[in-house]
Amino acid sequence: MTAMHTVEIGGDAPYAVRIAPGLLDDDATLVAPLRGRHALLVSDANVAPLYADRVEAALRRARPGLGIARFVMPAGEHEKTLARFGECLDALAGLGATRDATVIALGGGVIGDLAGFAAACWMRGIDVVQLPTTLLAMVDSSVGGKTAVDLPSGKNLVGAFHPPRAVIADTTALRTLPDRELRAGLAEVVKYGAIFDAGFLDWLESRVDALLARDDAAIAEAVARSCRYKADVVERDPFEHGDRALLNFGHTFGHAIETEQGYAGATGDGLNHGEAVAVGMVLAARLSARQGLAPAADADRLQALLERFGLPVALPAGLDPHALLARMRLDKKADARGLRFILWDRAGAARVVRDVPDAAVLDALGG
Ligand code: NAD
Ligand code: ZN
């Protein structure tokens, strides 16, 4: 039996992340954060048939009088829209949700972001409980309080900071996750080691097989440690005025790749987010080495670990370095003084570096 990991997240609205196998059937854990008489279970068409009945049954066992409704939407990033957000609010209205109602987000980051934003807005803010079912959602999107939907003009352009009331991660839910989604989440796990702790990279190097096999104990520890790294930086800088930006290691390059490919990851015609971040982290590490900041051996080590997880580590063929550079200039992370990157001094020690010359960036991109 794998013990439950609990990560306490501090700040103005503290909450706990609980991680263990079997939590989606655990009446007491699921019902503990619910305050009122109503709950809206939000999920997508892939996840709901797998897990929604179990969650609903556990809630009904634990609190027989609870009014529960479901809002199940089609899966995918292109559904993270204002229109679906509006439908989710309509479902809250249909439920007769009052200020003490709870939104329960059962799914990956798309569901967590959209349901969290609906909770942030309904009656100016009600509780959301996150039940993440992708590794990415467990280690990243369910923690930290950012919620959002996309607009046709860009990702995550409308949203709010709205911390969850609780996060409950059942590691067994990952057994049904497609391999590619698992690997995407592992890229974000590696990211925490790259930014904050070379010792965590050692730990990951010794557990590649267990993590790829979705071993509950290995996954639970990886999730707990990742949440702790994210929590520490979010507690220091909840609104991303400073250190929280470190979490964007690999993301300036990664976003440029995703945008340049037209977010074709879902169809297999391009990299998904985690894959793009894997490539982006290697590029950031190479750029750090070329700028004389960090040893090239650390970039080699990062690349080797990502490769063992089955992640891409080089720019996909056909992407033009100059086009990527132009994308990065447009990215909101580029400020007036020039391109700003998260680079590292060595594995486990990242920092913000401003005014990185275009020539160095193009060099790292191989252009
Ligand atoms: P996702 O929610 O689209 O899930 C990926 C796919 O896996 C979907 O098709 C989903 O239906 C399916 N799925 C989910 N759980 C499953 C399971 N257990 N078994 C089988 N299939 C399952 O994508 P994601 O990678 O979880 O999240 C990406 C989103 O997260 C993006 O919209 C991104 O902007 C957001 N995000 C937010 C934050 C934040 O801080 N709020 C941080 C990182 C990412
Ligand atoms: Zn990311």
Side-chain angles (χ1 to χ4, degrees):
M1 182 49 200
T2 309
M4 175 138 79
H5 290 262
T6 301
V7 182
E8 304 283 351
I9 317 278
D12 290 342
Y15 55 98
V17 184
R18 303 199 190 283
I19 308 139
L23 290 181
L24 290 182
D25 301 298
D26 184 326
D27 312 11
T29 302
L30 288 175
V31 87
L34 302 193
R35 295 188 300 149
R37 290 170 292 117
H38 298 109
L40 180 70
L41 187 57
V42 181
S43 195
D44 74 27
N46 294 334
V47 178
L50 294 167
Y51 301 109
D53 284 348
R54 285 164 52 184
V55 170
E56 193 172 325
L59 291 171
R60 288 193 190 284
R61 279 195 305 272
R63 194 162 301 169
L66 190 69
I68 307 179
R70 282 190 202 180
F71 174 65
V72 177
M73 53 179 254
E77 178 70 32
H78 54 285
E79 299 288 345
K80 206 174 96 175
T81 60
L82 276 176
R84 296 287 177 209
F85 163 78
E87 291 172 13
C88 187
L89 294 176
D90 288 338
L92 281 162
L95 177 66
T98 43
R99 293 254 15 221
D100 58 1
T102 301
V103 171
I104 301 177
L106 172 69
V110 166
I111 291 299
D113 276 13
L114 183 140
F117 185 42
C121 296
W122 179 255
M123 295 187 168
R124 301 192 185 82
I126 60 171
D127 288 345
V128 60
V129 172
Q130 297 281 354
L131 307 182
T133 63
T134 65
L135 183 59
L136 182 133
M138 290 181 188
V139 302
D140 194 354
S141 56
S142 67
V143 174
K146 283 190 185 178
T147 70
V149 296
D150 302 335
L151 293 182
S153 45
K155 278 192 64 171
N156 297 324
L157 286 180
V158 190
F161 284 100
H162 187 61
R165 177 130 187 117
V167 181
I168 300 167
D170 182 341
T171 53
T172 65
L174 301 185
R175 289 179 195 164
T176 55
L177 193 66
D179 279 335
R180 210 172 154 210
E181 300 294 346
L182 182 80
R183 291 196 294 267
L186 286 166
E188 302 281 2
V189 172
V190 169
K191 184 188 78 176
Y192 293 112
I195 302 171
F196 297 120
D197 183 2
F200 188 44
L201 294 176
D202 297 335
W203 185 89
L204 289 168
E205 283 163 349
S206 70
R207 282 170 185 76
V208 169
D209 294 339
L211 289 165
L212 287 174
R214 303 159 199 231
D215 170 78
D216 284 315
I219 292 278
E221 188 168 350
V223 171
R225 291 181 70 154
S226 298
C227 289
R228 189 68 258 159
Y229 294 118
K230 180 158 184 185
D232 286 343
V233 75
V234 168
E235 283 166 15
R236 284 203 303 276
D237 178 21
F239 302 113
E240 196 165 331
H241 299 309
D243 270 7
R244 189 169 179 161
L246 297 178
L247 297 173
N248 290 322
F249 185 68
H251 281 61
T252 304
F253 286 115
H255 286 151
I257 295 169
E258 283 185 281
T259 329
E260 192 61 17
Q261 292 187 327
Y263 292 93
T267 55
D269 295 334
L271 301 186
N272 67 24
H273 176 73
E275 291 165 343
V277 167
V279 174
M281 289 192 291
V282 173
L283 292 173
R286 298 264 170 243
L287 178 54
S288 304
R290 280 179 191 161
Q291 291 290 90
L293 300 174
D298 286 17
D300 296 341
R301 177 189 181 189
L302 178 68
Q303 174 167 338
L305 178 58
L306 293 167
E307 281 179 321
R308 287 179 67 200
F309 280 131
L311 285 157
V313 294
L315 267 192
L319 283 187
D320 172 14
H322 291 272
L324 289 169
L325 180 67
R327 294 272 180 200
M328 289 187 273
R329 296 198 142 288
L330 287 172
D331 192 298
K332 60 180 186 292
K333 281 164 209 80
D335 57 29
R337 278 175 285 184
L339 274 179
R340 186 173 69 125
F341 279 90
I342 315 300
L343 300 181
W344 69 7
D345 292 317
R346 60 186 174 280
R351 67 181 162 96
V352 180
V353 177
R354 296 178 189 281
D355 303 323
V356 178
D358 285 3
V361 178
L362 284 170
D363 186 39
L365 289 166

